[in-house]
Amino acid sequence: MTSTARKVVGILALQGDFEAHAKIVRSLGAEACEVRVPADLEGLDALIIPGGESTVMTLGIAREGLEEPLRALVRAGTPVLGTCAGMIMLDREHLGLLDVTTRRNAFGRQVRSFEADIDVAGVEGGPMHAVFIRAPWVADHGPAVEILGAVEDHAVAIRQGNMLAVSFHPELAGDGRLHEMLLAMNGRRRAG
Ligand code: GLN
């Protein structure tokens, strides 16, 4: 009944490259809204945690009292996409939502950034052009985690239920296919 309604995607906007995500979300016909305080999480169909600096984002989340509300939203089944620092925020040591341990700046400080074309399972139409900026990789993961893409045997794109996470920045390459996948995932609000 509500499947044709415009979906509302919240983008954590404490720090990082949330604007680039908002542009992609809008280009796909969904509504993008910036999340800075717990009340901004009301009525979201999906959530994006962008790249940035995970230490700074952690402080912002604590300062705004967002930790528990973010956990509750994702645990309730709301689809979430974490990119780069956003993947780190979802891991065991941060929000504790993804059953993964990430390694920060994993590709080495010398190689601070690079680009690669990688195949991501579930993304149609050829490899994604991935921009990596001081990117993490998945160092360890539990059985519920599906590896969707890797660089030199290191997992850089994963899915666990309603959570999608990538080490790179699809929004900087203007590739909206993961955002489309996020929008296609059905959260509780629409299902119930
Ligand atoms: N290196 C950053 C961190 O550890 C992540 C970089 C990014 O999001 N582009 O938080």
Side-chain angles (χ1 to χ4, degrees):
M1 187 179 79
T2 51
S3 60
T4 54
R6 227 158 104 91
K7 286 202 171 180
V8 181
V9 182
I11 305 168
L12 190 65
L14 297 172
Q15 191 260 340
D17 71 332
F18 50 89
E19 240 329 299
H21 281 287
K23 265 190 203 141
I24 293 204
V25 165
R26 290 189 197 111
S27 78
L28 295 171
E31 193 178 320
C33 77
E34 295 179 0
V35 171
R36 294 198 168 81
V37 294
D40 297 335
L41 297 171
E42 283 297 311
L44 297 183
D45 295 300
L47 176 75
I48 296 173
I49 306 184
E53 191 52 51
S54 55
T55 47
V56 180
M57 228 182 273
T58 301
L59 293 174
I61 286 174
R63 185 187 65 231
E64 301 301 336
L66 274 162
E67 196 165 325
E68 279 312 318
L70 282 171
R71 281 199 186 109
L73 184 82
V74 177
R75 287 196 179 129
T78 305
V80 59
L81 167 65
T83 61
C84 203
M87 173 194 262
I88 297 171
M89 295 314 305
L90 289 166
D91 78 5
R92 290 169 179 149
E93 284 163 33
H94 294 83
L95 291 170
L97 291 163
L98 276 174
D99 190 14
V100 303
T101 299
T102 58
R103 179 162 159 208
R104 294 182 60 207
N105 303 311
F107 292 94
R109 287 185 178 273
Q110 260 69 4
V111 193
R112 287 166 74 86
S113 90
F114 64 98
E115 300 184 16
D117 290 319
I118 62 165
D119 287 310
V120 177
V123 171
E124 314 261 298
M128 296 194 77
H129 186 68
V131 179
F132 292 82
I133 304 170
R134 287 171 291 116
W137 67 46
V138 175
D140 180 62
H141 65 88
V145 177
E146 195 187 339
I147 309 294
L148 305 180
V151 169
E152 289 163 7
D153 283 341
H154 300 294
V156 295
I158 58 171
R159 178 170 180 171
Q160 180 185 337
N162 58 322
M163 296 177 273
L164 269 176
V166 292
S167 302
F168 53 89
H169 290 269
E171 75 290 358
L172 295 183
D175 193 327
R177 288 177 290 168
L178 283 173
H179 297 72
E180 269 177 61
M181 203 193 268
L182 178 76
L183 286 167
M185 285 158 71
N186 274 318
R188 284 269 167 88
R189 197 168 87 101
R190 299 285 165 175

